Amino acid sequence: MGNRLSKIVTRTGDGGKTGLGDGARVDKFSLRIVAIGEVDETNSHIGVLLCEDLPHDVRSMLIDIQHDLFDLGGELSMPRHTLLGDAHVAKLDEWLAHYNADLPRLKEFILPGGTRAAAQAHIVRTVARRAERAMVALGAEETVAPAPRQYVNRLSDLMFVLARVLNRAGGGTDVLWQRDRADGGNP
């Protein structure tokens, strides 16, 4: 693993380049740096979600996910280095099955909203999708292991399910899209 930061202001990025964990210098607009940034933003939004009143099991899961996302950022910053694997994806699949088990079947699309915690989970979902797109774009240019991309894909699915769970935990329900509103209520 690379050196830990001992100071934050280095001025080495003033020219538009930044350092990777392996010591390489790349443009700040490179696909790798974009992907790292999207993963970091996903992690930051989970941090905001953790400010909400959450069930203990949800809080514990989100903290675990934050550590995984930090590892994922590290993996992206060190090409050809692996930190997330199939076991991490399987863990998300287990959580998905667990939290989805008691939810009623969807008959309509749902809108982001409901409780504040559920709305924040939807934000995490959308930012995770953007991180996934950035990783797919990076994978089109460079070799990227499949597990990290699968991880953020499952994470966005989990955040959708979690938003539904958090609405119920907060005493509410899903905010349903109203088909009839789209055409002004006319049949």
Side-chain angles (χ1 to χ4, degrees):
M1 194 64 85
N3 294 330
R4 304 235 189 272
L5 292 177
S6 58
K7 62 181 181 174
I8 298 303
V9 180
T10 63
R11 293 178 178 76
T12 60
D14 289 352
K17 301 250 185 210
T18 192
L20 295 178
D22 66 358
R25 305 276 310 158
V26 297
D27 291 320
K28 288 188 174 187
F29 60 82
S30 75
L31 293 176
R32 185 166 296 278
I33 297 304
V34 170
I36 292 168
E38 300 297 355
V39 168
D40 187 33
E41 186 177 351
T42 303
N43 205 345
S44 295
H45 280 291
I46 290 175
V48 174
L49 177 54
L50 282 164
C51 293
E52 298 295 325
D53 185 25
L54 302 170
H56 176 73
D57 60 321
V58 170
R59 178 173 301 285
S60 177
M61 176 190 67
L62 290 173
I63 290 169
D64 197 30
I65 290 169
Q66 279 198 305
H67 285 275
D68 288 348
L69 289 173
F70 195 86
D71 288 344
L72 175 53
E75 180 171 335
L76 289 169
S77 77
M78 294 179 286
R80 296 168 300 285
H81 190 78
T82 302
L83 293 171
L84 259 62
D86 294 338
H88 294 90
V89 177
K91 181 175 55 176
L92 290 185
D93 283 334
E94 289 172 17
W95 285 329
L96 265 165
H98 169 75
Y99 286 108
N100 206 25
D102 295 329
L103 291 175
R105 186 172 177 205
L106 282 174
K107 296 178 183 167
E108 285 293 344
F109 292 106
I110 65 170
L111 300 176
T115 66
R116 184 178 169 94
Q120 184 61 38
H122 277 293
I123 290 172
V124 174
R125 172 185 60 82
T126 61
V127 175
R129 286 282 186 222
R130 191 171 63 224
E132 179 186 11
R133 289 190 302 272
M135 291 174 65
V136 168
L138 175 61
E141 299 287 324
E142 301 180 37
T143 301
V144 178
R149 186 187 68 253
Q150 293 165 353
Y151 186 91
V152 292
N153 178 278
R154 295 303 192 296
L155 177 59
S156 62
D157 293 342
L158 178 60
M159 289 300 114
F160 179 85
V161 168
L162 187 61
R164 299 186 70 207
V165 167
L166 292 173
N167 268 333
R168 279 156 188 72
T173 61
D174 298 319
V175 179
L176 300 178
W177 170 67
Q178 298 173 9
R179 179 187 321 246
D180 295 340
R181 268 183 66 80
D183 63 6
N186 298 323

